[in-house]
Amino acid sequence: MNRLEQLLEDSGMTRYELTKQMGIRPGSLDRYFNGKASMITMSYGNALKLSKILGIKMEEIWKMAPEEDKIEWKDGWNSIDGLDIFVEDGKVLRGIRNDRTVYPYIPSSEGGIDNASGIPLKEYLQRVRKGTVTWQ
């Protein structure tokens, strides 16, 4: 039993009840329960809802399944949670979502957002944990 399953059992809820409270489609969390997706790929909004419902800190959610344990990053295309991400020389360059090329963006120091194509993988993963990277 993984940490997420243990928290759910302790709460006395079923997966269905949890997804209903989160306002998401039943079965949406299955990939996190069965270890096929790292918690780092969960959207910030869903992670926030999960933390409030289960009464845990956001940091604990990100630590449940460290990305190094769940995702084997390699140069070339990597498929993560419905997004194909292209990595080259340890840098995230672009992605494909819904048959469309998308690029990573991060908040700009001057307001707005900046294209972050070429962001080092380690920084990208840190930003995903914080919810400060988007794909457009």
Side-chain angles (χ1 to χ4, degrees), residues 33-87:
F33 281 100
N34 63 26
K36 290 187 177 178
S38 174
M39 296 300 284
I40 197 168
T41 64
M42 183 180 282
S43 75
Y44 182 81
N46 282 342
L48 186 60
K49 290 175 190 174
L50 186 63
S51 73
K52 287 181 180 179
I53 292 167
L54 296 178
I56 58 174
K57 293 182 179 181
M58 286 286 288
E59 296 80 26
E60 188 172 342
I61 289 176
W62 302 135
K63 291 176 185 173
M64 280 186 207
E67 69 283 354
E68 297 84 6
D69 294 342
K70 297 291 181 185
I71 302 170
E72 292 184 28
W73 293 90
K74 63 186 184 320
D75 276 1
W77 290 100
N78 298 269
S79 186
I80 293 107
D81 200 28
L83 173 66
D84 292 322
I85 298 175
F86 189 78
V87 175

Side-chain angles (χ1 to χ4, degrees), residues 99-113:
D99 297 324
R100 193 174 133 241
T101 301
V102 291
Y103 297 91
Y105 282 83
I106 58 175
S108 168
S109 59
E110 300 166 1
I113 56 175

Side-chain angles (χ1 to χ4, degrees), residues 40 67-68 90-92 104-107 115-116 118-133:
I40 197 168
E67 69 283 354
E68 297 84 6
K91 296 181 180 169
V92 175
Y105 282 83
I106 58 175
N115 185 318
I119 186 172
L121 183 57
K122 186 173 183 173
E123 181 182 347
Y124 168 76
L125 295 171
Q126 290 170 343
R127 287 183 170 278
V128 168
R129 270 192 215 105
K130 294 177 186 174
T132 60
V133 65

